[in-house]
Amino acid sequence: MTSFSDSLFKKLWLTVTATILVTVLYSFLLSYLFYEKLYVDIVEKSLIEEGNRLAGDYSGGPLTNELKERIEWYNEKSESEVFLVSNPKELSACLPYAIDYSTLIGKEEREQLLNGEPVFKSGFEERFGRKILSVAIPLLDNSRLEGIIYLYVPLAKISELTVDFSFLWLIGGVTFIVIAAFLGFKMLHKLTRPLAAMKEAAERVSIGDYSARVDIQSKDEIGQLARAFNHMSESIQKEDEKKREFLADVSHELRTPISYIKGYSEALETGMITNSVEQQKYLKLINREAGRMVKIVADLLDLSRLDADEYKLVKSPFSLAQLIEDFIIKYGPALGEKKIALSLELDPDIIINGDEGRMEQIFQNLIDNSIRYTDCEGEICIRLSKHSYGCLLEIKDTGIGIPEEDIKNLTNRFYRVNKGRSRADGGTGLGLAIADKIVQLHEGKMEIVSKLGEGTTVKIYFPIVLI
């Protein structure tokens, strides 16, 4: 069973949920800080505007009682505390908490006041249990500091200002987290369901069940991965079926000659055959079947090398017509034995770049079939001509022909239209498969046209070397 930490779905869900939670908390903290800064800026601006309005009533000279009374009256009406002093040291007597004058208005602050600039001060006061924000507005007469209007206000705690805001934030944040976690759960479950299905299908494939497929429900990367998995599984299944069929065919093909060899050799060994003529006959049969086994094994080795891309061609330019003329000479006795007429129509100017030995292997497989399946006094015509593809080689016979439904399977391994006849004549059922592979290695293509009872034509197209 998969543990919690091993589940991709649970890891993604926890990651998404944690990200949402951190985002909500960060947003709350950020808005908290911004709100507090905004509040402090508003208070500072309000204090300096308030102080400047009061300072506007000062027309110069020593501070008058009328101005002091006006400031006192304003102090009673204002939410902030306002004092008017002629000497900064008098602030220690006006403020409702103990202060150090030197820290309140120092040398630098006094210079600011003499330059007509307000002085801001802030700090936490334990007596009020909160932060104090203050501003000193200078009253100047010809660059002489005649007095100071001092305003201060205890800043409200952000929790007091944002109690409703925080409560709504809490409710909204919790609701958002719950909804987002639920939707994330649903979304991730749907997202990872194909991955879980692929995991199960991969486990089935690993134990040999190649029929496993994944249901494709999307066109995104996961859907593409599912399609790739299905394609892989289908390919493995086909290859497995081919392998099973191939092994069955090989065992079937080898079983016949092996059984013949075993039966004939046992008959000779036990002395059942005493006649020398019969003994020679049996020895010929054993030799024929042994040769057949050698041919099957050699053809299988060629096919395995072709499938593994280990079949290396040694290519060079040569005249295809000359190769065919030289090669066909060795078939004279076989053609004469069946009184088969051979006609050649070869264009001597056609040059191809290929492996002469492998080309002969193609011709051998095709001409062997033509002679084998053409009755006595039949005809075989070999024609070589130029074509838009490059060149066209046609091997046409007047043999027994092939049923139309079998033509597409002729290049499959061990496929025979008439298996009984093929075995009697010594065929392995691999020749056309090998020929087709070699043609493809020469960048060519092979077509087979046939009509039952009338004969067969094999067409091979090759690229040519332009001179």
Side-chain angles (χ1 to χ4, degrees):
M1 176 179 271
T2 304
S3 66
F4 187 84
S5 60
D6 292 335
S7 171
L8 176 62
F9 163 71
K10 292 174 182 176
K11 287 180 179 179
L12 288 173
W13 184 76
L14 286 176
T15 301
V16 171
T17 303
T19 302
I20 293 171
L21 183 60
V22 170
T23 302
V24 170
L25 292 176
Y26 179 75
S27 299
F28 178 76
L29 179 61
L30 203 61
S31 61
Y32 184 95
L33 295 174
F34 282 166
Y35 194 42
E36 184 178 56
K37 185 178 185 305
L38 181 63
Y39 168 68
V40 171
D41 289 345
I42 291 174
V43 172
E44 285 184 353
K45 185 177 180 182
S46 176
L47 284 177
I48 195 169
E49 288 179 353
E50 192 175 358
N52 286 333
R53 285 197 303 270
L54 293 174
D57 292 338
Y58 174 68
S59 56
L63 301 181
T64 63
N65 290 331
E66 181 183 358
L67 180 60
K68 291 180 180 179
E69 290 174 357
R70 187 177 298 175
I71 296 297
E72 290 176 1
W73 176 86
Y74 183 82
N75 181 49
E76 293 176 358
K77 305 296 183 182
S78 174
E79 293 182 358
S80 58
E81 296 293 332
V82 185
F83 303 103
L84 176 63
V85 295
S86 57
N87 190 326
K89 294 183 178 180
E90 297 177 14
L91 288 174
S92 59
C94 298
L95 295 177
Y97 50 89
I99 63 167
D100 181 358
Y101 164 74
S102 62
T103 61
L104 181 64
I105 302 295
K107 184 178 180 181
E108 292 182 1
E109 284 81 2
R110 189 175 182 84
E111 290 296 326
Q112 281 184 251
L113 293 174
L114 288 173
N115 291 330
E117 300 175 2
V119 174
F120 288 98
K121 288 289 184 175
S122 63
F124 186 79
E125 174 55 42
E126 293 183 1
R127 177 179 175 183
F128 291 94
R130 61 189 61 196
K131 190 176 180 181
I132 300 294
L133 182 65
S134 64
V135 61
I137 305 296
L139 301 178
L140 298 176
D141 182 19
N142 296 325
S143 300
R144 178 179 177 182
L145 186 62
E146 292 289 344
I148 294 175
I149 298 177
Y150 188 83
L151 305 91
Y152 78 89
V153 62
L155 292 175
K157 293 182 179 178
I158 193 66
S159 58
E160 296 173 1
L161 293 171
T162 62
V163 60
D164 294 334
F165 172 75
S166 299
F167 182 70
L168 292 175
W169 247 107
L170 179 62
I171 295 176
V174 171
T175 303
F176 176 76
I177 291 172
V178 171
I179 294 175
F182 175 76
L183 293 178
F185 182 90
K186 290 291 185 181
M187 181 187 68
L188 291 175
H189 183 265
K190 182 178 181 180
L191 186 66
T192 58
R193 185 167 51 194
L195 296 177
M198 274 185 275
K199 172 180 172 292
E200 294 177 3
E203 290 176 349
R204 289 171 57 190
V205 170
S206 68
I207 59 177
D209 181 8
Y210 304 124
S211 63
R213 298 290 186 274
V214 180
D215 184 24
I216 302 172
Q217 298 180 344
S218 64
K219 296 183 180 180
D220 56 12
E221 287 80 358
I222 293 181
Q224 294 170 14
L225 179 61
R227 287 186 184 84
F229 177 88
N230 287 343
H231 180 70
M232 178 198 70
S233 183
E234 183 178 353
S235 299
I236 293 175
Q237 185 178 20
K238 288 181 180 179
E239 288 301 317
D240 183 66
E241 291 173 356
K242 287 182 180 179
K243 182 184 71 174
R244 293 175 185 274
E245 183 180 351
F246 178 72
L247 291 175
D249 288 339
V250 169
S251 63
H252 180 72
E253 293 297 325
L254 293 178
R255 186 184 298 118
T256 300
I258 288 175
S259 63
Y260 284 157
I261 292 173
K262 184 175 183 296
Y264 297 150
S265 62
E266 285 179 352
L268 292 172
E269 183 181 16
T270 57
M272 290 177 60
I273 308 300
T274 57
N275 187 293
S276 61
V277 175
E278 289 294 319
Q279 287 178 347
Q280 287 299 317
K281 177 182 176 181
Y282 274 48
L283 287 173
K284 286 182 179 179
L285 290 172
I286 291 173
N287 184 60
R288 186 192 73 180
E289 296 303 322
R292 175 174 166 77
M293 290 178 62
V294 170
K295 183 70 167 62
I296 291 175
V297 172
D299 286 347
L300 287 173
L301 180 60
D302 280 347
L303 277 174
S304 66
R305 291 170 59 194
L306 285 166
D307 289 339
D309 293 329
E310 297 176 357
Y311 212 83
K312 304 302 180 185
L313 300 180
V314 181
K315 291 185 177 182
S316 61
F318 62 89
S319 171
L320 186 55
Q322 186 64 49
L323 178 68
I324 295 172
E325 288 178 350
D326 294 341
F327 177 76
I328 204 68
I329 292 174
K330 71 176 184 179
Y331 282 96
L335 293 168
E337 184 180 346
K338 297 185 72 172
K339 298 181 181 180
I340 296 175
L342 175 67
S343 63
L344 301 177
E345 299 176 19
L346 308 176
D347 185 341
D349 295 329
I350 293 176
I351 306 296
I352 71 168
N353 186 39
D355 187 319
E356 294 188 46
R358 298 309 175 191
M359 293 295 291
E360 288 185 357
Q361 192 173 359
I362 296 173
F363 302 148
Q364 180 176 332
N365 285 321
L366 297 179
I367 295 174
D368 280 348
N369 285 340
S370 293
I371 295 175
R372 183 179 298 122
Y373 298 115
T374 299
D375 293 331
C376 293
E377 299 184 356
E379 182 181 352
I380 296 176
C381 176
I382 302 176
R383 182 182 296 110
L384 176 62
S385 59
K386 291 181 180 179
H387 187 270
S388 59
Y389 193 93
C391 69
L392 169 60
L393 173 65
E394 296 177 278
I395 302 175
K396 183 178 180 180
D397 62 57
T398 58
I400 61 175
I402 303 167
E404 185 178 351
E405 62 272 14
D406 292 315
I407 292 177
K408 63 179 181 297
N409 297 316
L410 288 176
T411 55
N412 294 343
R413 301 171 184 181
F414 296 115
Y415 186 84
R416 293 192 186 90
V417 178
N418 186 334
K419 295 187 178 181
R421 178 168 181 141
S422 292
R423 287 196 189 92
D425 293 341
T428 65
L430 298 171
L432 286 177
I434 293 174
D436 186 52
K437 290 279 189 180
I438 297 175
V439 168
Q440 292 178 28
L441 288 177
H442 282 83
E443 300 176 7
K445 61 180 181 178
M446 184 170 71
E447 297 176 355
I448 300 175
V449 180
S450 184
K451 191 170 183 179
L452 194 61
E454 295 185 8
T456 301
T457 301
V458 179
K459 298 180 179 181
I460 306 177
Y461 302 87
F462 288 114
I464 62 173
V465 176
L466 298 176
I467 301 176

